[in-house]
Amino acid sequence: MTETLAFLDAVGDGTAMRVLIRLFSAAVDIVPFAALLLVLRGWARLPWSARVAMLGCILFGFVAVYADAIAPFGEREIVGDVWQGPGTDCLSTADDGTERAGTCHLGTDNLGRDMLSRLIFGAQTTIAVALIASLLSFSAGMLLSFTAAVVGGWTDQILSRINDMLLAIPTLIFALVVLAALPQNIVILVLVMAVIDQTRVYRLGRAVAVDVVVQDYVEAARLRGEGWLWIIFREVLPNVWTPLIAEFGLRFAFAVLFLSTLSFLGLGIQPPEADWGGMVKDNKDGIIFLVPAALYPGAAIALLAVSVNMVVDWMLNRTASLKGGRG
Amino acid sequence: MSPVLALILKRIGIGVVLILAISALLFLGVEALPGDFAQNFLGQAATPEAVANIRRELGLDQPVMLRYLDWLGGVVIGDFGESWANGSSVSEQLGKRLANTLFLAAVAAVFAVPISVGLGVLAVFYRNRLPDRIINILSLAAISMPEFFVGYLFIFFFALQFGIGDGPPIIPDPRASVWENVQLVFLPAMTLVVVVIAHMMRMTRAAILNIMESAYVETAELKGLSMLRIIWKHAAPNAVAPIINVVALNLAYLVVGVVVVEVIFAYPGMGQYFVDAVTVRDIPVVQACGIVFAAVYIILNMLADVGAILANPRLRHPK
């Protein structure tokens, strides 16, 4: 246990986290383009709210992936005085001593770092961590719930009762208790978020999967003698994609909000990494002096979450009208 | 025994078992997790003797099961032990702070429940027309805003620019009248209202829509009954149960949402106590706050189900 912890500590420190995020960003480089292509195909049929939301999601994706290229200043670079107003001049000093003048379009933060640059890097950190956590929770929740539905019997009973118990604890309370006892690092944070969130995925996954496993084609697969893994991946999964993709969007939006809340409480991503929740915490004292710096990252979180939620809303409406209601 | 009573007793039983299970999970879970308080507390000065001394002082050298039973026995009679950080009685702090937290949550609920149920009904009435769409988009926006964004927006614009309500710190005065304290907690309560109203309204809308789409409402429509009569005689009795359920579920959510709002407004409630304790790893306080929050949440969920059972017209007339 101690060795594992030492390892996790090493992985969880700042540099390793940067590497993790870089690797991840490189892997998702392709995603904004793919999304753009997909959207262009059906663009004309989209309602306007879904169009705006899609554009928002793609924009946030671009910013997160290409943060290094877009940000005018460095993430931790001090370029001016504390809480300069928007549009004021700043000075960036490179390692070799050369100076470069620029403008802080959103002013500076509580340590004199460029707000806009930190927002851009914060997009990268927040989105990457939330995405990793929701991918983990989603795969774990789906695998467990489908296993429960396909295998049934005692496996189902045990998994479902444990899940019921975890669901009965409010998420934030659960996270706070666990984070009080565990060392603070990014790997543990992601794991805690994933474990808590997979309970929600499990509930939905099991609900949709039990409807599918009673179908004749699953019965046929069982009679053919297929194993439960085959049934999960080849029979159940292809038939439940649509509600689960919408659910993934919801889980991601929730992960962004949850991560930001934890960071705001000082228990999420630790400084000096820029992340939106932590930036609100850093700059909240400025509010009293009418410095709106804390409001920008808050607005960024809200914009990202609302974009994702609106896309999900459109997807859910579309699938609902495809299946048809009563009329 | 009537089936309704049996159902309710069963639901309460499940609630009690859940709270017990969660108390075990909270206590044993935190114990099983690595990270030794004595070691952390002493830091560099952690000689084996000093660590052993602290562990003995805090009773950490006892077997875990014994400590759990000891702790549980204390919790049942309202004794949560002493804080590791400053040795003060946890129960005393909890008593004061729980009252503050419940007061804030209650003020928020008084505003949130009628507004969101009203908006939900309105959205169903104008279903798929402009008011419904506007309510839908506004509620999506409200769901997407983190509590701290709403809170600081309110402080920035209302408290500081327009002088409506008070900014942090907000400390309720037990000697002041209730009305004065309600005015004092206006902004934190409004923050909670914004956060919870969207969920409550969407769930109300879904619950009522579900009933309006059912076969018996269609039958009533085809019989040629007036809309008012359909709603009053057919839809409303069935809608009460889901709406009670929605309200109680969201009240549970409200009590948890209080944590962040208290930190924003520096309000001396359970939430702030909890977050402070987590930051310094004051385990007895963390466990106490954890079990109290979880218990309030579970009890409200239980009340939601009991309310739904009581309000279900089908269960009132056993076959």
Side-chain angles (χ1 to χ4, degrees), chain B residues 97-111 170 172 181-182 184-193 254 257-259 261-263 265 267-269:
Chain B
R97 287 165 178 270
L98 186 61
N100 284 345
T101 294
L102 291 180
F103 175 69
L104 177 56
V107 174
V110 166
F111 285 97
I170 289 181
N181 277 331
V182 169
L184 189 69
V185 301
F186 180 68
L187 283 186
M190 283 307 118
T191 309
L192 274 172
V193 167
L254 196 94
V258 151
V259 173
V261 172
E262 281 179 7
V263 173
F265 287 91
Y267 182 83

Side-chain angles (χ1 to χ4, degrees), chain B residues 51-94:
Chain B
V51 169
N53 268 337
I54 288 211
R55 289 179 66 87
R56 195 167 331 107
E57 245 172 67
L58 298 173
L60 290 177
D61 51 347
Q62 303 288 320
V64 124
M65 272 319 286
L66 207 68
R67 276 189 290 137
Y68 170 61
L69 291 177
D70 196 34
W71 178 73
L72 192 65
V75 169
V76 171
I77 57 167
D79 174 18
F80 289 92
E82 274 119 41
S83 151
W84 283 355
N86 52 25
S88 62
S89 157
V90 177
S91 313
E92 207 174 291
Q93 285 283 334
L94 274 189

Side-chain angles (χ1 to χ4, degrees), chain B residues 182-232:
Chain B
V182 169
Q183 284 178 316
L184 189 69
V185 301
F186 180 68
L187 283 186
M190 283 307 118
T191 309
L192 274 172
V193 167
V194 169
V195 172
V196 84
I197 209 173
H199 284 280
M200 219 192 272
M201 173 259 137
R202 285 173 84 88
M203 284 161 80
T204 310
R205 177 181 180 273
I208 299 179
L209 263 187
N210 206 8
I211 287 161
M212 296 307 278
E213 296 208 323
S214 61
Y216 57 82
V217 171
E218 187 171 23
T219 310
E221 258 171 61
L222 294 175
K223 274 200 309 198
L225 295 184
S226 73
M227 200 60 201
L228 206 69
R229 197 176 161 78
I230 294 175
I231 291 177
W232 186 242

Side-chain angles (χ1 to χ4, degrees), chain A residues 168, chain B residues 11 15 18-19 22 293-303:
Chain B
R11 187 62 190 81
L18 252 180
I19 294 180
I22 284 167
F293 269 118
V296 170
Y297 187 78
I298 290 170
I299 289 172
L300 281 170
N301 271 305
M302 197 174 78
L303 289 181

Side-chain angles (χ1 to χ4, degrees), chain A residues 107-123:
Chain A
T108 57
D109 74 353
N110 62 324
L111 296 178
R113 296 168 293 193
D114 179 36
M115 204 64 205
L116 181 64
S117 305
R118 277 186 75 76
L119 267 184
I120 291 170
F121 282 107

Side-chain angles (χ1 to χ4, degrees), chain B residues 267-307:
Chain B
Y267 182 83
M270 287 269 301
Q272 215 190 27
Y273 191 41
F274 192 14
V275 172
D276 289 347
V278 171
T279 317
V280 299
R281 298 173 185 248
D282 190 346
I283 298 297
V285 179
V286 171
Q287 283 166 336
C289 291
I291 190 73
V292 170
F293 269 118
V296 170
Y297 187 78
I298 290 170
I299 289 172
L300 281 170
N301 271 305
M302 197 174 78
L303 289 181
D305 288 353
V306 170

